[in-house]
Amino acid sequence: MRKNDSAVSAQSARRALRLVLMLAESGQLRVTDVSRVLEVAPSTAHRLLTALEQEGMAARSSTGRRYVVGPAFVAATAATVERDRALTAAAVDELQALARRTGETAHLVRRRELVTDFLYAADCERGLRVGSRAGVQLPAHTTAGGKALLALLEPEHVDVLYEGFEWPVLTARTICSLRRLQRELALVRERGWALNDGEAEDGIRAVGVAIDHPAGVQAAAVVLAAPTSRLSRGDAGYLANELESSAVSIAAAWKNMTPIAFSRG
């Protein structure tokens, strides 16, 4: 694929994703709404909505003037909720044991496009600790779990994913360019774990390892986070070993959950 073609594909993908998120938030959309928010011509907005309708993600309202959530959207949402519930149930006991063994806060995360979703947290018992991030969303490239999951993609896929991306600056250490991110992901692939060195929040380091999905898809990660005053860069390898052991245990437990959790769709 030529570079210009990749850029166009990435732009189309981002528009489609924003459109789906808009529909999820409001429940219904008009062509004028989409045209205004996405800053595209009404004809383009109509074409995007029609594409969603053809895929079952949207449907015309009874009056035909608005688009509402379609059957495929409802099914996909239900499947995602069930998948996350199964994953969390499989991980809870092991995450709590991991927090006790290491004395640090453990998190279960997923990557959703360019975002890391924190699904569950097991707090440690220390007075000075990283608090729960459950329910929080952060840019994937600023988190250990997000980087562990981004590293599973081919570099060319990462290029397309971040084409035209506006890099947020959360701290002085936040990665702010695709070149730096690709170098970081190459290191993650080499050693098998990712490090967040104060890139999402000052004073916090975190280590992340991807979890092997029973159906062959690595779709989640387990993370340990600690204050930088207690977790040096040299100690990260020790926590990575603990995480790798927990990731194996979670994958085994996940395998016994409902089959819907293993769907590739």
Side-chain angles (χ1 to χ4, degrees):
M1 180 181 290
R2 294 175 299 179
K3 186 173 182 179
N4 287 344
D5 293 337
S6 297
V8 171
S9 297
Q11 182 184 55
S12 298
R14 284 194 295 273
R15 283 176 174 172
L17 176 60
R18 288 187 65 188
L19 191 54
V20 169
L21 294 176
M22 288 168 61
L23 188 58
E25 182 176 352
S26 65
Q28 58 182 7
L29 292 172
R30 297 175 299 176
V31 171
T32 53
D33 298 328
V34 176
S35 176
R36 183 185 70 255
V37 175
L38 296 187
E39 298 180 340
V40 297
S43 59
T44 300
H46 183 266
R47 188 166 60 250
L48 290 168
L49 286 165
T50 299
L52 286 189
E53 183 182 16
Q54 291 171 345
E55 295 298 324
M57 296 296 286
R60 298 286 185 100
S61 67
S62 58
T63 63
R65 296 181 179 180
R66 296 175 185 269
Y67 288 81
V68 297
V69 295
F73 187 102
V74 175
T77 301
T80 298
V81 170
E82 178 61 25
R83 192 162 51 239
D84 286 349
R85 183 183 296 118
L87 170 60
T88 302
V92 167
D93 289 347
E94 181 58 35
L95 286 174
Q96 292 176 350
L98 177 64
R100 289 194 297 270
R101 287 200 312 271
T102 62
E104 305 297 355
T105 301
H107 282 97
L108 177 70
V109 306
R110 273 192 184 278
R111 181 184 67 84
R112 180 171 47 82
E113 293 295 327
L114 305 182
V115 174
T116 298
D117 291 325
F118 288 74
L119 302 180
Y120 177 82
D123 286 325
C124 65
E125 297 181 355
R126 299 192 190 199
L128 178 62
R129 63 178 184 270
V130 175
S132 169
R133 299 293 189 268
V136 171
Q137 298 176 342
L138 287 171
H141 70 284
T142 69
T143 69
K147 286 193 283 187
L149 295 170
L150 284 170
L152 301 174
L153 305 176
E154 295 295 332
E156 294 79 9
H157 189 166
V158 176
D159 284 340
V160 172
L161 198 60
Y162 281 90
E163 182 75 33
F165 182 63
E166 296 182 6
W167 299 84
V169 180
L170 303 186
T171 75
R173 292 178 175 270
T174 303
I175 292 174
C176 296
S177 73
L178 181 56
R179 179 177 296 182
R180 281 186 59 197
L181 177 60
Q182 289 285 30
R183 287 202 302 265
E184 179 77 4
L185 297 182
L187 180 59
V188 174
R189 295 183 188 105
E190 179 182 340
R191 67 189 178 193
W193 52 270
L195 176 68
N196 165 12
D197 190 10
E199 298 158 49
E201 185 175 340
D202 287 321
I204 294 176
R205 284 197 179 99
V207 184
V209 170
I211 299 170
D212 282 313
H213 190 287
V217 179
Q218 290 174 303
V222 60
V223 178
L224 282 168
T228 54
S229 60
R230 189 162 64 234
L231 175 58
S232 69
R233 291 177 63 91
D235 291 333
Y238 158 71
L239 291 186
N241 290 335
E242 292 289 337
L243 285 164
E244 288 169 354
S245 175
S246 290
V248 170
S249 296
I250 292 171
W254 197 4
K255 186 176 181 179
N256 296 322
M257 294 296 169
T258 173
I260 195 172
F262 312 145
S263 170
R264 293 175 182 267

